[in-house]
Amino acid sequence: MEQTLYRVEHASSVWWPQMQLFSGLILSLFCVFAALCFFVMATQQTATTRLSNLALSVCLLSQACLSFLSVVASESISLMVYLLLNCVFVIAGLTAIYCYRSVLSRVLFGDSNQGLPQIQADQLTPELEATQKELEQEIEAANRMRQRMQSIFESAPNGMLVVRKDGTIAQANTLAESIFRYPEGGMVGLSVEGLVPKEHRPQHHVDRNNYVKAPTKRMMGDRKDLYGVCLDGHKVPVEIGLNPIEGSFDQEIVATIVDISERKQYQRFIESRNNELENSNRELQEFAFIASHDLREPLRKIIAFSRLLQGEDYGTFTAEGKEYSGYVVDAAERMRTLLDSLLSYSRVTSMANSFEKTDLNALIEEVCADLQLTLEESQAEITVSPLMSIEVDASQMRQVMQNLIGNAIKYRQPDQVPKIVISGEQQESKYLLTIQDNGIGFESEYAEQIFEVFKRLHGRDQYPGTGMGLAICRKIILRHQGRIWADSLKGEGSIFYIELPLIRQEERLNE
């Protein structure tokens, strides 16, 4: 028994000093490491927190020194050094406790914040106060911006949907819910495919996935008629514009939706009325053609037999009889002229030729050749500037130019030589022809009336004619998708303008 106790005492005397040395070194290293951590924290905190962390750092360093010296040099350490280190340890510890008094009070007395350290208002530095103020201002500005965007979204004149990448609806404004007849908030979370007709849903799913890969701002449908499906199954015609939201986390897309039901209804109404007008115009043209053509033969016979009666081969008229028969012939001649004009007017569209590129200078030379006798008799002077070659119905344009040049000669000043100036100017996609004369002119109030059918400003005894010439000119220019108008002052001549498109509407649509 005594031998056993001796062995235990001998073993403890061997390993116990070693254990003390090892534990002292570990405690010293831990205190040094903790002191360094508090020192680093002190360099990044406010004044009060920095002081408390420095005090803890000093406290831990003094404890590390005490632990190290008590283990390594316990026999050689002087009493003065030992007391000095203990004083440093106590002072630093008390300083740390004083600096952390607010935290200790919350821990000991059960503060509602559960002992979490908070920076009091009186401890805030000017930098922190400025930062806090800036953050509050940014938060307030962000809230105002969100409210403004929500107000714009709701007050937009079109329906608007915000659609996520997977096709679910993230947001819908009131007008979109009204278009598709959903209750308030009833569209959020639904798949956008539910708004597409069933027969188009598979293709829409493919098109939407392709669009998500390369989103761009564009109209949906590529000029096709689009229809949306309402909650009650009713289909509504719509136009949809797509606009990706830049910087969106979920690649959201804004879809702008316009209900075009009223527009479609109005288009159908316009098409119906246009068809009715076309049929009516066709019937009127056919009637005018038939009437003018069929009435020419009876008039020809009236004129022929009236002249035979005037020839005294079938008896002699009295003076009054000759006068009255002359009235019959003159009236029949005027009627034939009117019928010829009416026939020409109806043939503008019914017997028109195709459009071909025509040299306008050569065309005017042909017109002047046709009017050679009239030009020589009136000694008229015609000046023609270089003109373009454009696509027109050559025979109809020749008729227009012959009518305008003929009018310039007919309505000339009695004491002046007629002077006619013809020029042209290209204006973007149009060509403007100008025909100017020094004739008698007319009042500006009649600038529109002179293009009406059978409209005359002078009596037949002054200037012969039917009043159909300018009406035919306008109808020809309208067929060319152009326009004609006049500007004049009485006694100062007239200027007629003809505006022709360089590319007609049919060609533009084909392009």
Side-chain angles (χ1 to χ4, degrees):
M1 185 69 179
E2 292 179 357
Q3 291 180 355
T4 302
L5 293 174
Y6 172 77
R7 289 174 184 173
V8 172
E9 290 178 358
H10 178 73
S12 60
S13 64
V14 174
W15 59 265
W16 178 249
Q18 296 177 354
M19 181 62 68
Q20 285 182 328
L21 177 62
F22 179 75
S23 60
L25 290 175
I26 292 297
L27 181 60
S28 300
L29 291 176
F30 174 78
C31 291
V32 171
F33 177 75
L36 290 175
C37 291
F38 279 105
F39 180 78
V40 171
M41 291 171 61
T43 60
Q44 301 177 357
Q45 302 294 329
T46 60
T48 304
T49 309
R50 186 184 299 115
L51 180 60
S52 61
N53 287 333
L54 286 175
L56 283 175
S57 178
V58 172
C59 180
L60 290 170
L61 283 175
S62 61
Q63 178 61 39
C65 293
L66 286 172
S67 299
F68 180 78
L69 293 176
S70 62
V71 173
V72 177
S74 58
E75 297 178 355
S76 59
I77 185 173
S78 64
L79 180 62
M80 184 61 67
V81 173
Y82 185 80
L83 291 176
L84 180 61
L85 289 175
N86 276 281
C87 290
V88 171
F89 173 76
V90 172
I91 293 172
L94 292 175
T95 302
I97 292 174
Y98 176 78
C99 293
Y100 276 101
R101 64 188 184 283
S102 59
V103 177
L104 293 174
S105 65
R106 282 192 294 270
V107 173
L108 295 175
F109 299 105
D111 189 85
S112 58
N113 292 326
Q114 298 179 355
L116 294 177
Q118 294 185 352
I119 301 175
Q120 302 298 325
D122 57 352
Q123 297 175 336
L124 292 176
T125 62
E127 293 82 0
L128 283 178
E129 291 177 352
T131 303
Q132 183 180 11
K133 187 175 181 180
E134 289 178 1
L135 287 174
E136 291 175 353
Q137 292 175 350
E138 290 179 2
I139 293 172
E140 185 179 356
N143 290 333
R144 287 198 303 267
M145 179 62 69
R146 182 180 59 81
Q147 294 174 358
R148 186 182 300 114
M149 295 304 297
Q150 181 66 24
S151 177
I152 295 173
F153 187 79
E154 285 296 332
S155 61
N158 302 324
M160 299 184 71
L161 298 177
V162 178
V163 184
R164 298 190 183 95
K165 180 180 180 180
D166 59 359
T168 57
I169 299 174
Q171 191 175 2
N173 68 349
T174 305
L175 189 53
E177 295 170 343
S178 175
I179 292 174
F180 294 101
R181 304 179 185 179
Y182 276 81
E184 183 178 356
M187 300 184 71
V188 177
L190 299 179
S191 174
V192 74
E193 262 77 26
L195 306 178
V196 179
K198 291 183 179 180
E199 60 272 18
H200 300 307
R201 288 177 186 175
Q203 184 61 40
H204 179 270
H205 181 75
V206 175
D207 294 340
R208 184 174 56 78
N209 289 335
N210 293 334
Y211 178 81
V212 169
K213 295 177 182 178
T216 57
K217 182 180 180 180
R218 64 174 178 83
M219 295 298 294
M220 180 178 172
D222 193 20
R223 298 184 180 180
K224 298 178 182 177
D225 290 337
L226 300 179
Y227 290 89
V229 179
C230 300
L231 181 61
D232 56 3
H234 176 74
K235 292 183 179 180
V236 56
V238 293
E239 282 184 352
I240 301 176
L242 303 176
N243 189 8
I245 302 177
E246 296 183 2
S248 173
F249 175 76
D250 200 22
Q251 294 186 2
E252 294 177 332
I253 298 168
V254 175
T256 305
I257 304 166
V258 181
D259 183 355
I260 58 173
S261 300
E262 293 184 1
R263 188 196 305 174
K264 286 287 186 181
Q265 185 178 359
Y266 185 71
Q267 288 177 350
R268 288 192 293 269
F269 174 76
I270 293 297
E271 291 174 359
S272 175
R273 294 304 300 270
N274 286 340
N275 292 333
E276 293 177 2
L277 289 174
E278 289 178 0
N279 294 333
S280 177
N281 289 336
R282 190 181 302 110
E283 292 174 357
L284 287 174
Q285 290 174 0
E286 292 175 355
F287 172 77
F289 179 79
I290 293 172
S292 59
H293 184 272
D294 292 348
L295 288 175
R296 293 176 71 188
E297 183 62 21
L299 282 174
R300 188 186 68 81
K301 290 183 178 181
I302 292 173
I303 295 171
F305 285 111
S306 296
R307 286 176 176 173
L308 286 174
L309 291 175
Q310 287 178 334
E312 297 183 356
D313 292 336
Y314 300 96
T316 303
F317 282 109
T318 63
E320 290 183 352
K322 289 182 179 181
E323 183 180 357
Y324 295 155
S325 63
Y327 291 158
V328 172
V329 173
D330 290 343
E333 288 285 358
R334 287 199 304 271
M335 178 63 72
R336 184 170 65 179
T337 304
L338 288 173
L339 289 175
D340 290 341
S341 299
L342 188 61
L343 185 61
S344 299
Y345 187 80
S346 65
R347 285 176 173 174
V348 170
T349 54
S350 62
M351 300 185 65
N353 299 318
S354 59
F355 290 82
E356 297 178 353
K357 197 165 188 178
T358 305
D359 185 354
L360 295 180
N361 287 101
L363 185 143
I364 292 176
E365 288 180 3
E366 295 175 1
V367 172
C368 293
D370 294 339
L371 297 173
Q372 183 177 0
L373 293 177
T374 305
L375 293 173
E376 291 177 353
E377 291 176 358
S378 61
Q379 299 180 346
E381 300 176 2
I382 299 181
T383 304
V384 183
S385 301
L387 304 176
M388 286 183 60
S389 296
I390 60 176
E391 290 192 358
V392 294
D393 184 335
S395 61
Q396 289 189 348
M397 282 303 298
R398 187 181 298 110
Q399 185 178 0
V400 170
M401 298 307 297
Q402 184 170 342
N403 194 302
L404 294 177
I405 294 174
N407 282 350
I409 298 173
K410 182 197 298 186
Y411 298 103
R412 63 182 182 271
Q413 297 277 9
D415 56 346
Q416 294 183 14
V417 174
K419 293 183 179 181
I420 304 169
V421 179
I422 302 175
S423 60
E425 178 185 2
Q426 182 176 352
Q427 298 178 342
E428 296 182 354
S429 61
K430 300 182 184 296
Y431 192 71
L432 182 65
L433 276 171
T434 305
I435 301 93
Q436 183 176 2
D437 62 59
N438 62 341
I440 62 174
F442 56 87
E443 298 288 350
S444 59
E445 59 186 279
Y446 299 112
E448 184 64 25
Q449 298 181 24
I450 60 175
F451 294 100
E452 297 177 2
V453 177
F454 299 127
K455 183 66 178 180
R456 294 176 55 86
L457 300 182
H458 307 88
R460 292 187 183 89
D461 55 338
Q462 293 179 296
Y463 299 97
T466 61
M468 287 290 294
L470 291 179
I472 293 173
C473 289
R474 167 168 281 187
K475 190 169 185 180
I476 290 174
I477 299 303
L478 288 176
R479 178 178 174 256
H480 284 71
Q481 299 177 2
R483 63 190 187 104
I484 181 173
W485 70 97
D487 186 15
S488 177
L489 287 176
K490 191 171 183 178
E492 298 184 9
S494 304
I495 304 177
F496 283 84
Y497 301 95
I498 300 175
E499 188 180 73
L500 297 170
L502 296 177
I503 301 178
R504 292 179 292 110
Q505 189 67 26
E506 292 85 352
E507 298 176 358
R508 190 176 291 112
L509 291 175
N510 292 334
E511 293 176 355

